[in-house]
Amino acid sequence: MDTIQLIIEFVGTLAFAISGIRLAAAKQFDWFGGYVVGLSTAIGGGTLRDMMLGLTPFWMTNPIYILCTGVALIIVIIFKKHLVRLNNTWFIFDTLGLGLFTVAGIQKALICGQPFWVAIIMGCITGAAGGVMRDVLINEVPLIFRKEIYAMACIAGGIVFHVCTSLFDLRYEFTAIMAFLTVVIVRILAVKYHITLPHLKNIE
């Protein structure tokens, strides 16, 4: 399970970083700017989570995330034309990463002794905050605030995690899988069937 999680985490980090670098490329950022945007997308959520929990940010104890973003930059530079045809593939990887990071955020908050509602927020921040930072850096309104079900998928996964542990007292392994699948399924269904939250109406 640890090996599988490591593989999915690496792929998810790579996908997050590539999503940021691709959008930076569309804005004609230079290589360094693209790397910064990609790195912020990949580690931004986890960094914010750790700071709020009073911990050393995770990427400061393991350089794999820094290196992974460098790999993402090289991939975009070399294969930029081919990546356009892989939108659906990268969407799946991004969704898998979102689910994994959500569960990781929830688990880390619970280990720190936080109540379940804080753990759900930490899971949501871990999964979705990097995308917010990416959009801010490229001067766009964050996607999760205006269009897609993204952060809400993280919240749904967190609620399932809490229900499985509190009401049914299930083992952590099964609970983590259920929460992960919930995030993935909600995200995929929302995109496939164009499900969005109601928009706020302007008051005149």
Side-chain angles (χ1 to χ4, degrees), residues 188-196:
I188 291 176
L189 290 178
V191 171
K192 182 177 180 179
Y193 295 105
H194 306 288
I195 301 172
T196 62

Side-chain angles (χ1 to χ4, degrees), residues 114-172:
Q114 299 296 330
F116 80 91
W117 58 273
V118 173
I120 292 176
I121 294 174
M122 292 299 104
C124 182
I125 288 174
T126 305
V132 175
M133 295 182 185
R134 173 200 65 207
D135 292 342
V136 170
L137 287 173
I138 64 173
N139 198 29
E140 294 282 352
V141 177
L143 185 64
I144 67 170
F145 297 149
R146 58 185 170 86
K147 185 178 179 182
E148 295 184 2
I149 299 293
Y150 198 86
M152 292 302 298
C154 302
I155 294 174
I159 293 173
V160 169
F161 191 104
H162 175 64
V163 170
C164 288
T165 54
S166 299
L167 299 184
F168 300 105
D169 195 26
L170 299 177
R171 293 180 57 185
Y172 167 75

Side-chain angles (χ1 to χ4, degrees), residues 43 47 50 55-63 65-66:
I43 71 171
T47 300
D50 288 348
L55 303 173
T56 300
F58 66 101
W59 56 268
M60 296 178 68
T61 60
N62 190 341
Y65 302 97
I66 308 295

Side-chain angles (χ1 to χ4, degrees), residues 91-133:
F91 165 74
I92 294 298
F93 287 152
D94 180 78
T95 301
L96 294 176
L98 179 69
L100 178 65
F101 292 160
T102 298
V103 173
I106 293 171
Q107 180 190 22
K108 200 163 191 178
L110 292 175
I111 290 175
C112 291
Q114 299 296 330
F116 80 91
W117 58 273
V118 173
I120 292 176
I121 294 174
M122 292 299 104
C124 182
I125 288 174
T126 305
V132 175
M133 295 182 185

